[in-house]
Amino acid sequence: DTGVSQDPRHKITKRGQNVTFRCDPISEHNRLYWYRQTLGQGPEFLTYFQNEAQLEKSRLLSDRFSAERPKGSFSTLEIQRTEQGDSAMYLCASSLGTGVGNTEAFFGQGTRLTVV
Amino acid sequence: KQEVTQIPAALSVPEGENLVLNCSFTDSAIYNLQWFRQDPGKGLTSLLLIQSSQREQTSGRLNASLDKSSGRSTLYIAASQPGDSATYLCAAGEGPYKYIFGTGTRLKVLA
């Protein structure tokens, strides 16, 4: 296992189209996160899965956004009816959570979305 | 609401210098603090994780300290090299799974 994998690396889409991104976490990691990063800013938390359960969603995640993690393995993030303000780098991370503890979070290379 | 601030926003140093990057957070009730490196257009690479019960962590030329009571963490880079040029981000663990990030320090090490 070489780390967290995200696909695609780059996506250009027209405003109003739907897009879907995929994240494959490190295989033994039960926790998976999505973050969004705009230019010059730090990543902002979007949502978190423990196994297949989505346990928290940020207010940044409008109803146009949906994330899934079927069977607690890979995750998808879908954006419907994209807007220019959705242009950003979408980062996925995973970690091994044990009770209230947490090991290091490992991030993927991100998917850069450009909405034109 | 947790806020994380990193100072300076940008730093340019000659090769070989030792340097300190600062991170402050407003809520001391953090689970952990993690330092990352980000190269332009790339994802984040984990550098060091400090659990809330720890005071520091070291890896090679990097040393990170944590002072929860004062809401501060520092990343010390010894003998800087041009390959260290990147943006360095700190992230405060809010709860066991959510990180609040600073906006980063852009470091340039000149050969």
Side-chain angles (χ1 to χ4, degrees):
Chain A
D1 194 313
T2 57
V4 178
S5 178
Q6 291 189 244
D7 183 70
R9 293 290 309 278
H10 304 274
K11 178 72 177 179
I12 300 174
T13 191
K14 291 183 178 180
R15 188 175 54 186
Q17 297 294 305
N18 299 342
V19 294
T20 300
F21 311 141
R22 177 180 170 123
C23 171
D24 287 274
I26 293 172
S27 59
E28 65 268 26
H29 286 181
N30 56 345
R31 293 180 174 174
L32 186 145
Y33 322 77
W34 286 98
Y35 283 80
R36 182 172 70 185
Q37 185 179 27
T38 53
L39 201 61
Q41 301 298 313
E44 296 175 291
F45 172 81
L46 292 180
T47 190
Y48 154 69
F49 290 85
Q50 175 133 336
N51 300 310
E52 67 276 7
Q54 187 175 20
L55 298 186
E56 185 168 341
K57 294 193 295 184
S58 163
R59 286 174 295 173
L60 293 174
L61 215 64
S62 74
D63 56 7
R64 296 184 298 106
F65 289 71
S66 63
E68 295 182 341
R69 192 184 182 196
K71 302 179 183 177
S73 56
F74 71 92
S75 176
T76 58
L77 177 68
E78 181 184 16
I79 309 174
Q80 296 181 325
R81 304 180 305 281
T82 52
E83 302 172 355
Q84 286 188 322
D86 297 331
S87 295
M89 173 82 89
Y90 289 84
L91 294 161
C92 176
S94 70
S95 70
L96 182 62
T98 56
V100 296
N102 208 9
T103 59
E104 280 179 273
F106 291 90
F107 279 75
Q109 290 297 301
T111 294
R112 178 164 297 285
L113 173 66
T114 302
V115 181
V116 297
Chain B
K1 178 188 171 187
Q2 179 74 272
E3 292 183 3
V4 178
T5 304
Q6 291 187 247
I7 294 173
L11 185 61
S12 185
V13 299
E15 181 177 8
E17 275 205 5
N18 301 325
L19 51 99
V20 175
L21 307 182
N22 296 294
C23 172
S24 62
F25 45 93
T26 55
D27 186 348
S28 62
I30 61 171
Y31 267 64
N32 51 32
L33 189 133
Q34 193 163 350
W35 283 91
F36 296 89
R37 167 187 173 138
Q38 186 173 34
D39 293 289
K42 305 290 187 183
L44 279 63
T45 300
S46 175
L47 297 174
L48 290 165
L49 169 70
I50 312 176
Q51 299 291 357
S52 63
S53 59
Q54 298 174 323
R55 295 299 300 268
E56 66 178 337
Q57 283 287 336
T58 298
S59 176
R61 294 183 294 108
L62 306 179
N63 174 275
S65 66
L66 174 63
D67 184 343
K68 283 180 57 179
S69 61
S70 67
R72 294 186 180 186
S73 177
T74 60
L75 178 67
Y76 176 82
I77 303 176
S80 57
Q81 303 170 358
D84 295 330
S85 299
T87 295
Y88 290 80
L89 294 157
C90 74
E94 182 180 88
Y97 55 81
K98 186 164 76 174
Y99 284 101
I100 306 299
F101 281 83
T103 53
T105 294
R106 293 189 311 280
L107 172 66
K108 186 167 186 178
V109 181
L110 305 171

